[in-house]
Amino acid sequence: MEPPPECPQETPALTEAAAEFLSLIAYVTPQLETLEQEELEQVEVTGVVTLKARPVERRTHMVSHQHGITVTKTLREGEEETQRWSFSYSKAELQGLLPEGASLLLLRVLACQRAVPSGLVFPAIDTEGHLCTSSYCALGIQQQVVGSVEAEVFVIERAVVTGTGISTVWHSSFLRSGVKPRTPFPKQPLDWEEDIQLYSWFLDRKV
């Protein structure tokens, strides 16, 4: 294995994420083996002082080959030069590996069966490219508002634990068909005078 190099760290500053876009494309076999996967995260970061939006793009590409898997990560911030680094894992280290795309498919299969085997754990790769574990357990059937009606959903918990013991937990709800329900978001009144960023744009346009 080639260990993941030190990932470039974003410069800490008085910033906040104003908008975010995520996409995931994965090519997975019926046996849930990942042939190729690409994750893209695009964030508009707005400075608190300058109020200027700065785009940040993070891309992670994973491809399987006869020796194992190679992961390539890229980071681009605004007009700065794109940073890129790659590392690989051997097949021996990847027995049963379940990256993000394959994990989403597994969740849908488990939801259709409405059952999760006890102690279901797979190796995975975290956001920094390190090997970690991903576990699954059923939280049972619950009622959830879908559109204008209340529907029965099956809830599964997924926990990703890194080598340092840090865990991230997600709760995913699925209809009987294995499809994730769309949760309605109530409209909130927009008070542009209380939003410093919108208020600044308003003043700029007036000038």
Side-chain angles (χ1 to χ4, degrees):
M1 165 195 163
E2 299 175 17
E6 290 298 321
C7 301
Q9 300 295 319
E10 294 182 35
T11 304
L14 295 176
T15 61
E16 60 179 352
E20 185 171 349
F21 170 77
L22 298 171
S23 72
L24 172 66
I25 300 175
Y27 299 91
V28 183
T29 70
Q31 292 74 37
L32 295 183
E33 296 178 1
T34 299
L35 303 178
E36 188 174 358
Q37 175 179 295
E38 179 158 299
E39 292 181 76
L40 173 64
E41 178 184 9
Q42 294 177 324
V43 181
E44 286 284 341
V45 179
T46 304
V48 174
V49 178
T50 63
L51 294 178
K52 289 185 177 180
R54 176 172 57 90
V56 176
E57 179 181 290
R58 304 182 188 92
R59 189 184 300 268
T60 302
H61 182 258
M62 181 185 304
V63 62
S64 176
H65 47 75
Q66 60 179 344
H67 303 296
I69 280 182
T70 296
V71 181
T72 301
K73 299 179 70 68
T74 58
L75 172 64
R76 185 174 64 187
E77 299 185 57
E79 301 299 324
E80 297 180 14
E81 184 177 350
T82 300
Q83 302 176 65
R84 180 177 290 103
W85 61 102
S86 298
F87 46 91
S88 301
Y89 289 102
S90 67
K91 279 193 172 181
E93 298 172 289
L94 301 174
Q95 292 294 327
L97 180 72
L98 207 69
E100 196 65 26
S103 176
L104 292 175
L105 291 177
L106 175 64
L107 284 171
R108 295 189 64 176
V109 171
L110 295 174
C112 288
Q113 297 177 347
R114 296 221 159 183
V116 179
S118 177
L120 189 61
V121 181
F122 291 92
I125 295 179
D126 65 19
T127 55
E128 298 300 326
H130 299 282
L131 287 175
C132 60
T133 60
S134 181
S135 62
Y136 305 78
C137 71
L139 298 182
I141 296 174
Q142 301 177 12
Q143 297 295 318
Q144 180 175 318
V145 176
V146 180
S148 59
V149 299
E150 195 172 72
E152 193 177 78
V153 297
F154 185 69
V155 184
I156 302 175
E157 178 182 278
R158 178 191 177 205
V160 173
V161 181
T162 66
T164 58
I166 299 175
S167 62
T168 305
V169 178
W170 295 269
H171 290 172
S172 300
S173 302
F174 296 89
L175 299 172
R176 184 173 290 276
S177 61
V179 176
K180 292 178 67 68
R182 292 188 176 184
T183 305
F185 293 94
K187 292 184 178 180
Q188 298 290 338
L190 177 62
D191 190 346
W192 58 269
E193 291 183 323
E194 293 296 326
D195 189 307
I196 185 172
Q197 183 178 346
L198 289 178
Y199 188 56
S200 172
W201 289 344
F202 172 74
L203 292 179
D204 287 344
R205 287 184 176 274
K206 285 187 66 177
V207 174

